[in-house]
Amino acid sequence: AQTVTQSQPEMSVQEAETVTLSCTYDTSESDYYLFWYKQPPSRQMILVIRQEAYKQQNATENRFSVNFQKAAKSFSLKISDSQLGDAAMYFCAYRSAETNFGNEKLTFGTGTRLTIIP
Amino acid sequence: ETGVTQTPRHLVMGMTNKKSLKCEQHLGHNAMYWYKQSAKKPLELMFVYNFKEQTENNSVPSRFSPECPNSSHLFLHLHTLQPEDSALYLCASSQGQGRNSPLHFGNGTRLTVT
């Protein structure tokens, strides 16, 4: 079974600075997807960024980028120019590419609570 | 505006009560999911439905009973719950087709069992 580990329960960053959230995972599969979700106080899980394991290029979405190290099974999230609205719980998630058709279930980490300091 | 709507937002129930959680998705998706989110634990997958058929039951106790009448609606019927069932229950949906279909989540129902 796959597992996802987020070793930083809490992180804080000064507004406008850069912060990196860590995530490691364990799998024996070669084809999979990795995701970062954000959960603000509204409680809705919002997709921040996704990475396909067979793509070597790191995914980027505006101020959000990842450092995907497949051999090390590491998938960190970098947030540049942090804004107050970035304050939330951040969850790393794994999905096998071999799941049954129509079953895109995710395995989540325990989350990192990010605080933005004005 | 979320494409996945969950009601109620909060629910307090006694251990002998029967209640239901409702989820509706407006995204035209074919797969729907129930997840349980407890403090300091990873989200736990409970049930998966694809085209109204249950495709996964992750060893969930029978006091949780899902129902999926169509691809847009998903219910979670609750009866004789325990205090440890108190958690945030999240509904999600996905397209159910193709290799890269992300999950879209609702705002969750905060359940407290007294």
Side-chain angles (χ1 to χ4, degrees), chain A residues 4 10 31-33 35 37 39 41-47 50-55 89 91 94-111, chain B residues 1-4 8-10 31 33 35 37 40-43 45 48-51 55-56 88 90 94-110:
Chain A
V4 177
E10 297 182 355
D31 194 11
Y32 49 86
Y33 300 94
F35 303 82
Y37 277 85
Q39 188 179 40
S42 68
R43 305 183 325 206
Q44 185 190 9
M45 299 281 277
I46 302 167
L47 178 64
R50 77 185 88 171
Q51 175 79 40
E52 297 169 67
Y54 64 88
K55 289 187 177 179
M89 283 288 289
F91 292 92
Y94 171 102
R95 196 188 93 203
S96 171
E98 298 170 2
T99 51
N100 295 332
F101 185 81
N103 183 351
E104 287 93 3
K105 62 181 179 180
L106 298 174
T107 300
F108 286 86
T110 50
Chain B
E1 183 76 28
T2 174
V4 180
R9 188 163 174 79
H10 301 275
Y33 309 74
Y35 275 89
Q37 185 177 14
K40 299 184 180 179
K41 292 176 65 176
L43 273 76
L45 178 67
V48 182
Y49 278 82
N50 192 28
F51 290 95
T55 55
E56 183 142 352
L88 180 67
L90 289 165
S94 68
Q95 195 169 7
Q97 298 173 4
R99 284 171 49 89
N100 192 11
S101 172
L103 294 189
H104 295 256
F105 286 85
N107 288 45
T109 294
R110 173 73 64 190

Coordinates of all heavy atoms in Angstrom, one line a residue, chain A residues 4 10 31-33 35 37 39 41-47 50-55 89 91 94-111, chain B residues 1-4 8-10 31 33 35 37 40-43 45 48-51 55-56 88 90 94-110:
Chain A
V4 N 1.9 8.3 2.4 CA 2.3 9.7 2.1 C 2.7 10.3 3.5 O 1.9 10.3 4.4 CB 1.2 10.5 1.4 CG1 1.7 12.0 1.3 CG2 0.9 9.9 0.1
E10 N 3.4 22.1 11.2 CA 3.1 23.5 11.1 C 4.3 24.2 10.5 O 5.5 23.8 10.7 CB 2.9 24.1 12.5 CG 1.6 23.6 13.1 CD 1.3 24.2 14.5 OE1 2.2 25.0 14.9 OE2 0.3 23.9 15.1
D31 N 4.2 4.4 -12.2 CA 3.3 5.4 -12.9 C 2.3 5.8 -11.9 O 1.5 5.0 -11.4 CB 2.7 4.8 -14.1 CG 2.1 5.8 -15.0 OD1 2.3 7.0 -14.8 OD2 1.3 5.4 -15.9
Y32 N 2.3 7.1 -11.6 CA 1.3 7.6 -10.6 C 1.2 9.1 -10.7 O 1.9 9.8 -11.5 CB 1.8 7.2 -9.2 CG 3.2 7.5 -8.9 CD1 3.6 8.8 -8.4 CD2 4.2 6.6 -9.1 CE1 5.0 9.1 -8.2 CE2 5.5 6.8 -8.8 CZ 5.9 8.1 -8.3 OH 7.3 8.3 -8.1
Y33 N 0.3 9.7 -9.9 CA 0.2 11.2 -9.9 C 0.4 11.7 -8.5 O 0.0 11.0 -7.5 CB -1.2 11.6 -10.4 CG -1.6 11.1 -11.8 CD1 -2.2 9.9 -12.0 CD2 -1.2 11.9 -12.8 CE1 -2.5 9.5 -13.3 CE2 -1.5 11.5 -14.1 CZ -2.2 10.3 -14.3 OH -2.5 9.9 -15.6
F35 N -0.3 15.2 -5.9 CA -1.1 16.4 -5.9 C -0.8 17.2 -4.6 O -0.4 16.6 -3.6 CB -2.6 16.1 -5.8 CG -3.1 15.3 -7.0 CD1 -3.0 13.9 -7.0 CD2 -3.7 15.9 -8.0 CE1 -3.4 13.2 -8.1 CE2 -4.2 15.2 -9.1 CZ -4.1 13.8 -9.1
Y37 N -3.1 19.7 -2.3 CA -4.4 20.4 -2.0 C -4.2 21.4 -0.9 O -3.5 21.2 0.0 CB -5.4 19.3 -1.7 CG -6.1 18.6 -2.8 CD1 -5.5 17.5 -3.4 CD2 -7.3 19.1 -3.4 CE1 -6.1 16.8 -4.5 CE2 -7.9 18.4 -4.4 CZ -7.3 17.3 -5.0 OH -7.9 16.7 -6.0
Q39 N -6.5 23.5 2.0 CA -7.8 23.5 2.7 C -7.8 24.7 3.6 O -7.3 24.7 4.7 CB -8.0 22.2 3.6 CG -9.4 22.1 4.2 CD -9.6 20.9 5.0 OE1 -8.7 20.4 5.7 NE2 -10.7 20.3 4.9
P41 N -9.9 27.8 5.9 CA -10.9 27.7 6.9 C -12.3 27.4 6.4 O -13.2 26.8 7.1 CB -10.9 29.1 7.6 CG -9.5 29.5 7.4 CD -9.1 29.0 6.1
S42 N -12.6 27.6 5.1 CA -13.9 27.3 4.5 C -14.0 25.8 4.4 O -15.1 25.3 4.2 CB -14.0 27.9 3.1 OG -13.0 27.2 2.2
R43 N -12.9 25.0 4.6 CA -12.9 23.6 4.7 C -12.9 22.9 3.3 O -12.7 21.7 3.2 CB -14.1 23.0 5.5 CG -14.1 23.5 6.9 CD -15.2 22.9 7.8 NE -16.4 22.6 7.1 CZ -17.6 22.5 7.7 NH1 -17.7 22.9 9.0 NH2 -18.7 22.2 7.1
Q44 N -13.1 23.6 2.2 CA -13.1 23.0 0.9 C -11.7 22.7 0.5 O -10.8 23.5 0.6 CB -13.7 23.9 -0.1 CG -13.9 23.2 -1.5 CD -14.3 24.1 -2.6 OE1 -14.3 25.4 -2.4 NE2 -14.6 23.6 -3.7
M45 N -11.4 21.5 0.1 CA -10.1 21.1 -0.4 C -10.0 21.6 -1.9 O -10.8 21.2 -2.7 CB -10.0 19.5 -0.4 CG -10.1 18.9 0.9 SD -8.6 19.1 1.9 CE -7.7 17.7 1.2
I46 N -9.0 22.4 -2.1 CA -8.8 23.0 -3.4 C -7.5 22.5 -4.0 O -6.4 22.6 -3.4 CB -8.7 24.6 -3.2 CG1 -10.0 25.1 -2.6 CG2 -8.5 25.2 -4.6 CD1 -9.9 26.5 -2.1
L47 N -7.5 22.1 -5.2 CA -6.4 21.6 -5.9 C -5.4 22.7 -6.2 O -5.8 23.7 -6.8 CB -6.7 20.9 -7.2 CG -5.6 20.3 -8.0 CD1 -4.8 19.2 -7.3 CD2 -6.1 19.8 -9.4
R50 N -0.6 19.7 -9.6 CA -0.5 18.2 -9.8 C 0.8 17.9 -10.6 O 1.2 18.7 -11.4 CB -1.7 17.7 -10.5 CG -1.8 17.9 -12.0 CD -3.0 17.5 -12.6 NE -4.1 18.5 -12.6 CZ -5.2 18.5 -13.2 NH1 -5.5 17.4 -13.9 NH2 -6.1 19.4 -13.1
Q51 N 1.3 16.7 -10.4 CA 2.5 16.3 -11.1 C 2.3 14.8 -11.6 O 1.8 14.0 -10.8 CB 3.7 16.3 -10.2 CG 5.0 15.7 -10.7 CD 5.7 16.7 -11.7 OE1 5.7 17.9 -11.4 NE2 6.3 16.2 -12.7
E52 N 2.6 14.6 -12.8 CA 2.5 13.2 -13.4 C 3.9 12.6 -13.3 O 4.9 13.2 -13.7 CB 2.1 13.3 -14.8 CG 0.7 13.8 -15.0 CD 0.3 14.1 -16.4 OE1 0.2 13.2 -17.2 OE2 0.1 15.3 -16.7
A53 N 4.0 11.4 -12.7 CA 5.3 10.9 -12.4 C 6.2 10.6 -13.6 O 7.4 10.6 -13.6 CB 5.1 9.5 -11.7
Y54 N 5.6 10.4 -14.8 CA 6.4 10.1 -16.0 C 6.9 11.4 -16.6 O 7.7 11.3 -17.6 CB 5.6 9.3 -17.0 CG 4.4 10.0 -17.6 CD1 4.5 10.8 -18.7 CD2 3.1 9.8 -17.0 CE1 3.4 11.4 -19.2 CE2 2.0 10.5 -17.5 CZ 2.1 11.3 -18.6 OH 1.0 11.9 -19.2
K55 N 6.5 12.5 -16.1 CA 7.0 13.8 -16.6 C 8.2 14.3 -15.7 O 8.0 14.4 -14.5 CB 5.9 14.9 -16.6 CG 4.9 14.6 -17.7 CD 3.9 15.8 -17.8 CE 2.9 15.6 -18.9 NZ 2.0 16.8 -19.0
M89 N -4.4 24.7 5.6 CA -3.7 23.4 5.7 C -3.4 23.0 4.2 O -4.2 23.1 3.3 CB -4.7 22.4 6.3 CG -4.8 22.5 7.8 SD -3.4 22.0 8.7 CE -3.4 20.2 8.4
F91 N -2.2 19.7 2.0 CA -2.2 18.2 1.9 C -1.5 17.7 0.7 O -1.8 18.2 -0.4 CB -3.6 17.6 2.0 CG -4.2 17.8 3.3 CD1 -5.1 18.9 3.5 CD2 -4.1 17.0 4.4 CE1 -5.7 19.2 4.7 CE2 -4.7 17.2 5.6 CZ -5.5 18.3 5.8
Y94 N -1.4 11.2 -3.1 CA -0.8 10.3 -4.1 C -2.0 9.6 -4.8 O -3.0 9.2 -4.2 CB 0.1 9.3 -3.4 CG 0.5 8.1 -4.3 CD1 1.8 8.1 -4.8 CD2 -0.3 7.0 -4.6 CE1 2.2 7.0 -5.6 CE2 0.1 6.0 -5.3 CZ 1.4 6.0 -5.9 OH 1.8 4.9 -6.6
R95 N -1.9 9.3 -6.1 CA -2.8 8.5 -6.8 C -2.2 7.6 -7.8 O -1.3 8.0 -8.6 CB -3.9 9.4 -7.5 CG -5.1 8.6 -8.0 CD -6.0 9.4 -8.8 NE -5.7 9.2 -10.2 CZ -6.0 10.1 -11.2 NH1 -6.5 11.3 -10.9 NH2 -5.7 9.8 -12.4
S96 N -2.5 6.3 -7.7 CA -1.9 5.4 -8.6 C -2.5 5.6 -10.0 O -3.7 6.0 -10.2 CB -2.2 4.0 -8.2 OG -1.9 3.0 -9.2
A97 N -1.7 5.4 -11.0 CA -2.2 5.5 -12.4 C -2.8 4.2 -12.8 O -3.3 4.0 -13.9 CB -1.1 5.9 -13.4
E98 N -2.7 3.2 -11.9 CA -3.2 1.9 -12.2 C -4.6 1.6 -11.6 O -5.0 0.5 -11.5 CB -2.2 0.8 -11.8 CG -0.9 0.9 -12.5 CD 0.2 0.1 -11.9 OE1 -0.1 -0.7 -10.9 OE2 1.3 0.1 -12.3
T99 N -5.2 2.6 -11.0 CA -6.5 2.4 -10.4 C -7.5 2.1 -11.4 O -7.3 2.3 -12.6 CB -7.0 3.7 -9.7 OG1 -6.9 4.8 -10.6 CG2 -6.1 4.0 -8.5
N100 N -8.6 1.5 -10.9 CA -9.7 1.1 -11.8 C -10.2 2.3 -12.5 O -10.3 3.4 -12.0 CB -10.7 0.3 -11.0 CG -10.2 -1.0 -10.5 OD1 -9.3 -1.6 -11.0 ND2 -10.8 -1.4 -9.3
F101 N -10.7 2.0 -13.7 CA -11.3 3.1 -14.5 C -12.4 3.8 -13.7 O -13.3 3.1 -13.2 CB -11.9 2.4 -15.8 CG -12.5 3.4 -16.7 CD1 -11.7 4.1 -17.6 CD2 -13.9 3.7 -16.8 CE1 -12.2 5.0 -18.5 CE2 -14.4 4.6 -17.7 CZ -13.6 5.2 -18.5
G102 N -12.3 5.1 -13.6 CA -13.3 5.8 -12.9 C -13.2 5.8 -11.4 O -14.1 6.3 -10.6
N103 N -12.0 5.4 -10.9 CA -11.8 5.4 -9.4 C -10.5 6.2 -9.1 O -9.5 5.6 -9.0 CB -11.8 4.0 -8.9 CG -11.6 3.9 -7.4 OD1 -11.4 5.0 -6.8 ND2 -11.8 2.8 -6.8
E104 N -10.6 7.5 -9.1 CA -9.4 8.3 -8.9 C -9.2 8.6 -7.4 O -9.0 9.7 -7.0 CB -9.5 9.6 -9.7 CG -9.4 9.4 -11.2 CD -10.7 9.2 -11.9 OE1 -11.8 9.3 -11.2 OE2 -10.7 9.0 -13.1
K105 N -9.2 7.5 -6.6 CA -9.0 7.7 -5.2 C -7.6 8.2 -4.8 O -6.6 7.8 -5.5 CB -9.3 6.5 -4.4 CG -8.4 5.3 -4.7 CD -8.8 4.1 -3.9 CE -7.9 2.9 -4.3 NZ -8.3 1.7 -3.5
L106 N -7.5 9.0 -3.8 CA -6.3 9.6 -3.4 C -5.9 9.1 -2.0 O -6.7 8.8 -1.1 CB -6.4 11.1 -3.3 CG -6.7 11.9 -4.6 CD1 -6.9 13.4 -4.3 CD2 -5.6 11.7 -5.6
T107 N -4.6 9.0 -1.8 CA -4.0 8.7 -0.5 C -3.4 10.0 0.0 O -2.5 10.6 -0.7 CB -3.0 7.6 -0.5 OG1 -3.6 6.4 -1.0 CG2 -2.4 7.3 0.9
F108 N -3.8 10.5 1.2 CA -3.3 11.8 1.7 C -2.3 11.7 2.8 O -2.3 10.7 3.5 CB -4.5 12.5 2.2 CG -5.5 13.1 1.2 CD1 -6.5 12.3 0.7 CD2 -5.3 14.4 0.8 CE1 -7.4 12.8 -0.3 CE2 -6.2 14.9 -0.2 CZ -7.2 14.1 -0.7
G109 N -1.5 12.7 2.9 CA -0.7 12.9 4.1 C -1.5 13.5 5.2 O -2.7 13.8 5.1
T110 N -0.8 13.8 6.4 CA -1.5 14.4 7.5 C -1.6 15.9 7.5 O -2.3 16.5 8.3 CB -0.8 14.0 8.8 OG1 0.6 14.3 8.7 CG2 -0.9 12.5 9.1
G111 N -1.0 16.5 6.5 CA -1.1 17.9 6.3 C -0.1 18.8 7.0 O 0.5 18.4 8.0
Chain B
E1 N -17.6 29.7 -5.7 CA -18.8 28.8 -5.7 C -18.3 27.4 -6.0 O -17.7 27.1 -7.1 CB -19.7 29.3 -6.8 CG -21.0 28.5 -7.0 CD -22.0 28.9 -5.9 OE1 -21.9 30.0 -5.4 OE2 -22.8 28.0 -5.5
T2 N -18.6 26.5 -5.1 CA -18.1 25.1 -5.3 C -19.0 24.4 -6.2 O -20.2 24.5 -6.1 CB -18.0 24.4 -3.9 OG1 -17.6 23.1 -4.1 CG2 -19.2 24.5 -3.1
G3 N -18.5 23.5 -7.0 CA -19.3 22.6 -7.9 C -19.8 21.4 -7.1 O -20.6 20.7 -7.7
V4 N -19.3 21.2 -5.9 CA -19.8 20.1 -5.0 C -20.4 20.7 -3.8 O -19.7 21.4 -3.0 CB -18.6 19.2 -4.7 CG1 -19.2 18.0 -3.8 CG2 -18.0 18.6 -6.0
P8 N -26.0 18.9 5.8 CA -25.8 20.2 6.3 C -24.3 20.6 6.5 O -23.5 19.7 6.4 CB -26.5 20.1 7.7 CG -26.3 18.7 8.1 CD -26.3 17.9 6.8
R9 N -24.1 21.8 6.9 CA -22.7 22.2 7.1 C -22.2 21.7 8.5 O -21.0 21.3 8.6 CB -22.6 23.7 7.0 CG -21.1 24.2 7.1 CD -21.0 25.6 6.6 NE -19.7 26.2 6.8 CZ -18.7 25.9 5.9 NH1 -18.9 25.2 4.9 NH2 -17.5 26.5 6.1
H10 N -23.1 21.7 9.4 CA -22.8 21.2 10.8 C -23.9 20.3 11.2 O -25.1 20.5 10.9 CB -22.7 22.3 11.8 CG -21.7 23.3 11.5 ND1 -20.4 23.2 11.8 CD2 -21.7 24.5 10.8 CE1 -19.7 24.3 11.4 NE2 -20.5 25.1 10.8
A31 N -18.1 9.9 -11.0 CA -17.6 9.2 -9.8 C -17.8 10.1 -8.6 O -17.5 11.3 -8.7 CB -16.2 8.8 -9.9
Y33 N -17.3 10.3 -4.0 CA -16.5 9.7 -3.0 C -17.0 10.3 -1.6 O -17.3 11.4 -1.5 CB -15.0 10.0 -3.1 CG -14.4 9.7 -4.5 CD1 -14.7 10.5 -5.6 CD2 -13.5 8.7 -4.7 CE1 -14.2 10.3 -6.8 CE2 -13.0 8.4 -5.9 CZ -13.3 9.2 -7.0 OH -12.7 9.0 -8.2
Y35 N -15.1 10.8 2.1 CA -13.9 10.8 2.9 C -14.2 11.2 4.3 O -15.0 12.1 4.5 CB -12.8 11.7 2.3 CG -11.9 11.2 1.2 CD1 -12.4 11.3 -0.1 CD2 -10.7 10.6 1.5 CE1 -11.6 10.8 -1.2 CE2 -9.9 10.1 0.4 CZ -10.3 10.2 -0.9 OH -9.6 9.8 -1.9
Q37 N -12.4 13.0 7.6 CA -11.2 13.8 8.0 C -11.2 14.0 9.6 O -12.1 14.7 10.1 CB -11.1 15.1 7.3 CG -9.9 15.9 7.7 CD -9.7 17.2 6.9 OE1 -10.7 17.7 6.3 NE2 -8.6 17.8 6.9
K40 N -5.5 15.4 12.9 CA -4.1 14.9 13.0 C -4.0 13.5 12.3 O -3.1 12.7 12.6 CB -3.6 14.9 14.4 CG -3.5 16.2 15.0 CD -2.9 16.2 16.4 CE -2.8 17.7 16.9 NZ -2.2 17.7 18.3
K41 N -5.0 13.1 11.5 CA -4.9 11.9 10.8 C -5.1 12.2 9.3 O -5.8 13.2 8.9 CB -6.0 10.9 11.2 CG -5.9 10.4 12.6 CD -7.0 9.6 13.1 CE -7.2 8.3 12.3 NZ -8.3 7.5 12.8
P42 N -4.5 11.3 8.4 CA -4.8 11.5 7.0 C -6.3 11.3 6.7 O -7.0 10.6 7.4 CB -3.9 10.4 6.3 CG -3.0 10.0 7.4 CD -3.6 10.2 8.7
L43 N -6.7 12.0 5.6 CA -8.1 11.7 5.1 C -8.2 10.2 4.8 O -7.4 9.6 4.2 CB -8.4 12.5 3.9 CG -8.9 13.9 4.0 CD1 -7.8 14.9 4.4 CD2 -9.5 14.4 2.8
L45 N -10.4 7.4 3.0 CA -11.4 7.1 2.0 C -12.4 6.1 2.6 O -12.1 5.1 3.2 CB -10.8 6.4 0.8 CG -11.7 6.0 -0.3 CD1 -12.4 7.2 -1.0 CD2 -11.0 5.2 -1.4
V48 N -16.6 4.7 -2.6 CA -16.5 5.2 -3.9 C -17.6 4.7 -4.8 O -18.0 3.5 -4.7 CB -15.2 4.8 -4.6 CG1 -15.1 5.4 -6.0 CG2 -13.9 5.2 -3.8
Y49 N -18.2 5.6 -5.5 CA -19.3 5.2 -6.5 C -18.9 5.6 -7.8 O -18.4 6.7 -8.0 CB -20.6 5.8 -6.1 CG -21.4 5.1 -5.0 CD1 -21.1 5.3 -3.7 CD2 -22.4 4.2 -5.3 CE1 -21.7 4.6 -2.7 CE2 -23.1 3.5 -4.3 CZ -22.7 3.7 -3.0 OH -23.4 3.0 -2.0
N50 N -19.1 4.8 -8.8 CA -18.8 5.1 -10.2 C -20.1 4.7 -11.0 O -20.5 3.6 -11.0 CB -17.6 4.3 -10.7 CG -17.1 4.9 -12.0 OD1 -17.3 6.0 -12.4 ND2 -16.5 4.0 -12.8
F51 N -20.6 5.7 -11.7 CA -21.9 5.5 -12.4 C -22.9 4.8 -11.5 O -23.6 3.8 -11.9 CB -21.6 4.7 -13.7 CG -20.9 5.4 -14.8 CD1 -19.5 5.2 -14.9 CD2 -21.5 6.2 -15.7 CE1 -18.8 5.9 -15.8 CE2 -20.8 6.9 -16.7 CZ -19.4 6.7 -16.7
T55 N -18.0 1.0 -6.0 CA -16.8 0.3 -6.4 C -15.8 0.1 -5.3 O -14.8 -0.7 -5.5 CB -16.1 1.1 -7.6 OG1 -15.8 2.4 -7.1 CG2 -17.0 1.1 -8.8
E56 N -16.0 0.7 -4.2 CA -15.1 0.5 -3.1 C -15.8 0.8 -1.7 O -16.5 1.8 -1.6 CB -13.9 1.4 -3.2 CG -12.8 1.2 -2.1 CD -11.4 1.3 -2.6 OE1 -11.2 1.4 -3.8 OE2 -10.5 1.3 -1.8
L88 N -14.9 15.6 10.3 CA -15.4 16.3 9.1 C -15.6 15.3 8.0 O -14.6 14.5 7.7 CB -14.4 17.4 8.7 CG -14.7 18.2 7.5 CD1 -15.9 19.1 7.7 CD2 -13.5 19.1 7.0
L90 N -16.1 14.7 4.1 CA -16.0 15.4 2.8 C -16.5 14.5 1.7 O -16.2 13.3 1.6 CB -14.5 15.7 2.6 CG -13.9 16.8 3.5 CD1 -12.4 16.7 3.4 CD2 -14.4 18.1 3.1
S94 N -15.3 13.1 -9.3 CA -14.3 13.2 -10.4 C -15.0 12.8 -11.7 O -16.0 12.1 -11.7 CB -13.1 12.3 -10.1 OG -13.4 11.0 -10.1
Q95 N -14.3 13.1 -12.8 CA -14.9 12.8 -14.1 C -15.1 11.3 -14.3 O -16.0 10.9 -14.9 CB -14.0 13.4 -15.2 CG -14.6 13.5 -16.5 CD -13.8 14.3 -17.5 OE1 -12.7 14.7 -17.2 NE2 -14.4 14.6 -18.6
G96 N -14.2 10.5 -13.7 CA -14.3 9.1 -13.8 C -13.8 8.6 -15.2 O -14.1 7.4 -15.5
Q97 N -13.1 9.4 -15.9 CA -12.7 8.9 -17.2 C -11.3 9.5 -17.5 O -11.0 10.6 -17.0 CB -13.6 9.4 -18.3 CG -15.0 8.9 -18.2 CD -15.9 9.5 -19.3 OE1 -15.5 10.3 -20.1 NE2 -17.2 9.2 -19.2
G98 N -10.5 8.8 -18.2 CA -9.2 9.3 -18.5 C -8.2 9.1 -17.3 O -8.5 8.7 -16.2
R99 N -6.9 9.4 -17.5 CA -5.9 9.2 -16.6 C -5.7 10.3 -15.6 O -5.0 10.1 -14.6 CB -4.6 8.9 -17.4 CG -4.5 7.6 -18.0 CD -3.3 7.5 -18.9 NE -2.1 8.0 -18.3 CZ -1.3 7.2 -17.6 NH1 -1.6 5.9 -17.4 NH2 -0.2 7.7 -17.0
N100 N -6.1 11.4 -15.9 CA -5.8 12.6 -15.1 C -7.0 13.4 -14.7 O -7.1 14.6 -15.1 CB -4.7 13.4 -15.8 CG -4.1 14.4 -14.9 OD1 -4.2 14.4 -13.7 ND2 -3.4 15.4 -15.5
S101 N -7.8 12.8 -13.9 CA -9.1 13.5 -13.5 C -9.0 13.8 -12.1 O -9.1 12.9 -11.2 CB -10.3 12.6 -13.8 OG -11.5 13.1 -13.3
P102 N -8.8 15.1 -11.7 CA -8.6 15.4 -10.3 C -10.0 15.3 -9.5 O -11.0 15.4 -10.1 CB -8.1 16.9 -10.3 CG -8.7 17.4 -11.6 CD -8.7 16.3 -12.5
L103 N -9.8 15.2 -8.2 CA -11.0 15.2 -7.3 C -11.4 16.6 -7.0 O -10.6 17.5 -6.8 CB -10.7 14.5 -6.0 CG -10.4 13.0 -6.0 CD1 -10.4 12.5 -4.6 CD2 -11.5 12.3 -6.8
H104 N -12.7 16.9 -7.0 CA -13.3 18.1 -6.6 C -14.0 17.9 -5.3 O -14.9 17.0 -5.3 CB -14.2 18.7 -7.7 CG -13.5 19.0 -9.0 ND1 -13.2 20.3 -9.4 CD2 -13.0 18.3 -10.0 CE1 -12.5 20.3 -10.5 NE2 -12.4 19.1 -10.9
F105 N -13.7 18.7 -4.3 CA -14.3 18.5 -3.0 C -15.4 19.5 -2.7 O -15.4 20.6 -3.2 CB -13.2 18.6 -1.9 CG -12.3 17.4 -1.9 CD1 -11.2 17.3 -2.7 CD2 -12.5 16.3 -1.0 CE1 -10.4 16.2 -2.7 CE2 -11.7 15.3 -0.9 CZ -10.6 15.2 -1.8
G106 N -16.3 19.1 -1.8 CA -17.2 20.0 -1.2 C -16.7 20.6 0.1 O -15.5 20.4 0.4
N107 N -17.5 21.4 0.8 CA -17.0 22.1 2.0 C -17.1 21.2 3.2 O -16.7 21.6 4.3 CB -17.8 23.4 2.2 CG -17.4 24.4 1.2 OD1 -17.3 24.2 0.0 ND2 -17.2 25.6 1.7
G108 N -17.7 20.0 3.1 CA -17.7 19.1 4.2 C -18.9 19.3 5.2 O -19.5 20.4 5.2
T109 N -19.2 18.3 5.9 CA -20.2 18.4 7.0 C -19.4 18.1 8.3 O -18.8 17.0 8.4 CB -21.3 17.3 6.9 OG1 -22.1 17.7 5.7 CG2 -22.2 17.3 8.1
R110 N -19.4 19.0 9.3 CA -18.8 18.8 10.6 C -19.8 18.0 11.4 O -20.8 18.6 11.8 CB -18.4 20.1 11.2 CG -17.9 20.0 12.6 CD -16.5 19.4 12.7 NE -15.5 20.3 12.0 CZ -14.2 19.9 11.8 NH1 -13.8 18.7 12.1 NH2 -13.4 20.8 11.2

